Amino acid sequence: MSSVWLVCRLRRWRVLLPFLISVVMSLLVPSSIWAQIGSGTLAANSATGASSAATAVPSTVLGQVINAATGAPVPRALVRLNDRAVLTDDDGKFRFEQNTLSGANILVTKPGYSASTEMQDGGNLYLQGAQLGVPLELRLYPEALLTGTVLAPDGTPLARIPVTAQRRFWEDSGHRWVTVGQEVTDSHGNFRLAQPAGEYRLETRYTPLDRTNGNTGEAVLPVTVPAEGSSGASQVGASQVIRAHAGEELHFELRPVVSPTHTVALAPESGGGRNFMRISARSSNGSTIQVNAQVNGPGGETKIQLPPGTYTLTARRNNPESPEQAETTMTVPDHDISGVVLQFGAIPAIPVELMVDSSVTSDNNEQPPTLPQLGLVLQTDDPDPERGDPSVRPTARRDQSYMFVAPPGSYRLQSRNAGAWYIKSATYGDADLLRQELAVAPGSAGTPIRLMVSNQTGSLQGTVNLNGSPAACWVYLISAGGNAQPVMSLRSNGSGNYTVAHLPPGSYQAVAFERKHSANYRDATSLAPFATHVRSLTVNAGEKPTLNLDAVPIAEVAP
């Protein structure tokens, strides 16, 4: 009997104990703190014995989706919280109940809108704890409309003419034009292209009319908008662009020239058989025509169709071992011509030599980088019109050495991050390629690019605050010169902290943005609107300064 009595008493205390503890705690601890303990938002600091508020896991995630251009709510937008999704109501509001996540990805989408105006930013947001626990304001950017009409010189609408929208895209190594949209004109010559806000140009390609109007022997010549000095274009650097804002509609009238075409027979000076040949013709007004070449006969005679005018012809034979290029200036009269000779020569092959600075340290057991690890490119502002790629990358030789096969032109040498190593110097003859462009002339070959690498770097650390609170943001470091990495970008973590472990010595400007922000950071005017957020610093080898930044909120970046 005694053992049964003892078990009963223990069971009774097991029931009463939680009740007694709650009574005592209610007498000793304020109700507000007790409520936090009950919800799991107060944790004991085991190191100090003190209590501190920890990040809560909000049970409800809510907010509103607004039009970034007008501030109006956006109804029927799809909001995703990881694998859950809801539609916003008529007031643009959304709500997720029973949330158990301390961090989550949030993405909002709706046809006709974009979640970001940056090409490399998908609009996804990763929010943690306290960020999820407050009402969220998510922004959608209405697409811009680029509309217009393509007309012949006499005002006749031109149907079935492809119109492309080229978007200017800036990245750490420079800029390039990316085709983001294309539409063929309707029977009235009209086109309509809906695109995110950004910088654009409109183009029509060289279009023979044979396929649409029978054997007319006519072609629509290419035209680009904006042309120099046209309205609706804003000056950016040395070129003009269409700056399309979110929700804006811009209308353009394109009037390409329609011209009869004539056969031009080209004869290579040296044999080339039927090797594939790409031919472009740059007219005296600067426009480029990509022509279809018909190779006839074993001698490699090639026929192309061109309208009357003066052109610089550039032809390339893509021989696997030694690509060749020919360039000649010619005038097409009002009839067919023959006997135009193409004198092919090897495209300049520039060797690359890699050396290690004598002052490097080896205590970290890191081997010097190989040339491919440096991520070298020659960047040009005048890319191949057919490839659209402004970069030339090194080519490996059979002896495992490397060279740049670069057509004549001007280039900037650039490199990506190579861990603990950086390019300390780069020379081509007497030219300092960290401060000067590489000028490649026809027939120039043999002179090597000499690179010297070093691991004598500095480092950088800091915290990024957004509206007074630490946050995950994009940090941009812009070199003041003498650096093969003119712009370096990285992202702070959810606590706002960032670290650059290996930073080439030199002077920099630093700026942080809430979202990814592509711009021509080589142009000082690109930072002028955000001058209050820009910080300057100098980093020496072996140093690790701290630089805290206040990020530019997305609302201050014009959509």
Side-chain angles (χ1 to χ4, degrees):
M1 292 293 294
S2 60
S3 61
V4 173
W5 178 84
L6 179 60
V7 170
C8 292
R9 293 296 295 268
L10 289 174
R11 288 177 176 173
R12 183 178 301 172
W13 275 103
R14 186 180 297 170
V15 174
L16 292 175
L17 186 59
F19 172 73
L20 293 175
I21 291 176
S22 64
V23 171
V24 174
M25 292 298 292
S26 65
L27 294 174
L28 298 179
V29 183
S31 59
S32 59
I33 301 299
W34 178 243
Q36 294 183 57
I37 295 175
S39 63
T41 61
L42 197 70
N45 187 327
S46 59
T48 63
S51 296
S52 61
T55 301
V57 177
S59 60
T60 301
V61 177
L62 54 85
Q64 185 182 34
V65 178
I66 66 167
N67 183 317
T70 65
V74 180
R76 308 294 293 174
L78 183 67
V79 183
R80 296 183 182 274
L81 182 76
N82 280 8
D83 58 352
R84 302 171 64 186
V86 296
L87 289 172
T88 57
D89 61 18
D90 291 342
D91 296 320
K93 295 181 179 180
F94 63 91
R95 188 182 190 93
F96 292 94
E97 301 284 1
Q98 299 179 343
N99 174 63
T100 60
L101 303 170
S102 60
N105 291 297
I106 292 184
L107 178 65
V108 55
T109 57
K110 184 175 181 176
Y113 293 81
S114 60
S116 172
T117 59
E118 296 295 334
M119 285 191 62
Q120 286 190 320
D121 186 355
N124 181 75
L125 292 174
Y126 180 75
L127 303 179
Q128 294 177 300
Q131 295 173 304
L132 288 171
V134 298
L136 303 174
E137 184 181 90
L138 305 180
R139 303 163 69 88
L140 278 178
Y141 298 85
E143 292 178 331
L145 288 178
L146 305 176
T147 64
T149 307
V150 180
L151 303 172
D154 62 0
T156 303
L158 293 174
R160 300 184 64 185
I161 301 298
V163 180
T164 61
Q166 300 272 339
R167 186 174 182 182
R168 170 172 265 179
F169 167 51
W170 294 96
E171 51 193 354
D172 290 359
S173 60
H175 86 277
R176 57 192 174 98
W177 290 99
V178 180
T179 299
V180 292
Q182 177 172 298
E183 183 169 294
V184 176
T185 57
D186 62 17
S187 59
H188 301 288
N190 297 321
F191 64 90
R192 182 181 186 273
L193 293 161
Q195 296 296 328
E199 296 177 347
Y200 292 90
R201 68 185 181 196
L202 297 176
E203 292 182 343
T204 63
R205 297 288 181 93
Y206 176 73
T207 309
L209 292 178
D210 294 21
R211 68 176 193 273
T212 57
N213 296 333
N215 188 18
T216 62
E218 289 187 329
V220 178
L221 304 192
V223 65
T224 301
V225 174
E228 194 70 27
S230 63
S231 61
S234 54
Q235 190 76 18
V236 176
S239 62
Q240 292 184 314
V241 297
I242 299 166
R243 191 182 298 277
H245 298 279
E248 184 178 27
E249 180 174 352
L250 300 173
H251 188 81
F252 301 90
E253 188 176 277
L254 283 64
R255 287 184 175 263
V257 172
V258 178
S259 172
T261 60
H262 305 286
T263 299
V264 178
L266 308 173
E269 184 185 51
S270 59
R274 293 180 177 272
N275 286 341
F276 177 73
M277 185 159 45
R278 289 167 36 218
I279 300 177
S280 64
R282 184 178 294 273
S283 67
S284 55
N285 65 7
S287 63
T288 299
I289 298 174
Q290 294 295 323
V291 294
N292 294 322
Q294 297 178 347
V295 181
N296 300 313
E301 184 182 69
T302 301
K303 293 183 178 180
I304 61 175
Q305 299 289 322
L306 282 175
T310 299
Y311 301 91
T312 298
L313 291 184
T314 302
R316 184 175 301 178
R317 289 199 298 223
N318 293 327
N319 302 321
E321 293 297 326
S322 57
E324 296 177 302
Q325 182 169 297
E327 188 172 285
T328 187
T329 300
M330 54 158 292
T331 298
V332 179
D334 58 356
H335 54 80
D336 296 349
I337 59 173
S338 61
V340 178
V341 177
L342 295 176
Q343 297 182 355
F344 279 91
I347 296 177
I350 303 171
V352 183
E353 298 178 357
L354 188 61
M355 300 172 289
V356 178
D357 185 25
S358 58
S359 64
V360 304
T361 57
S362 57
D363 53 311
N364 56 8
N365 295 320
E366 288 195 23
Q367 295 296 318
T370 63
L371 195 135
Q373 290 173 332
L374 290 172
L376 290 176
V377 296
L378 293 179
Q379 196 85 5
T380 177
D381 288 328
D382 189 22
D384 185 317
E386 185 172 300
R387 293 187 305 117
D389 187 353
S391 302
V392 177
R393 293 168 177 80
T395 300
R397 288 172 162 171
R398 290 181 178 178
D399 61 0
Q400 301 304 309
S401 63
Y402 289 86
M403 62 182 178
F404 283 111
V405 180
S410 296
Y411 300 88
R412 297 184 304 276
L413 177 71
Q414 297 187 350
S415 167
R416 68 162 183 259
N417 186 284
W421 298 82
Y422 76 100
I423 297 177
K424 184 176 182 179
S425 67
T427 59
Y428 179 72
D430 295 332
D432 179 357
L433 298 186
L434 297 185
R435 299 183 182 276
Q436 300 170 251
E437 289 190 340
L438 169 66
V440 179
S444 61
T447 302
I449 294 175
R450 291 189 169 92
L451 306 176
M452 181 176 291
V453 295
S454 173
N455 62 0
Q456 298 296 289
T457 62
S459 56
L460 181 66
Q461 63 184 1
T463 301
V464 181
N465 289 304
L466 177 65
N467 298 322
S469 300
C473 297
W474 283 93
V475 178
Y476 293 87
L477 299 175
I478 301 105
S479 173
N483 196 325
Q485 293 177 259
V487 181
M488 286 166 274
S489 60
L490 62 146
R491 200 175 186 199
S492 58
N493 61 24
S495 301
N497 299 319
Y498 73 93
T499 299
V500 184
H502 304 286
L503 188 62
S507 297
Y508 297 87
Q509 285 187 305
V511 64
F513 290 88
E514 179 180 0
R515 302 291 291 270
K516 183 182 281 287
H517 181 69
S518 63
N520 181 12
Y521 290 109
R522 288 188 295 147
D523 183 357
T525 60
S526 65
L527 292 177
F530 317 109
T532 57
H533 298 270
V534 178
R535 300 284 302 277
S536 298
L537 75 153
T538 298
V539 177
N540 297 312
E543 294 182 347
K544 188 176 183 178
T546 297
L547 183 68
N548 299 325
L549 300 168
D550 292 316
V552 180
I554 187 64
E556 292 185 20
V557 181

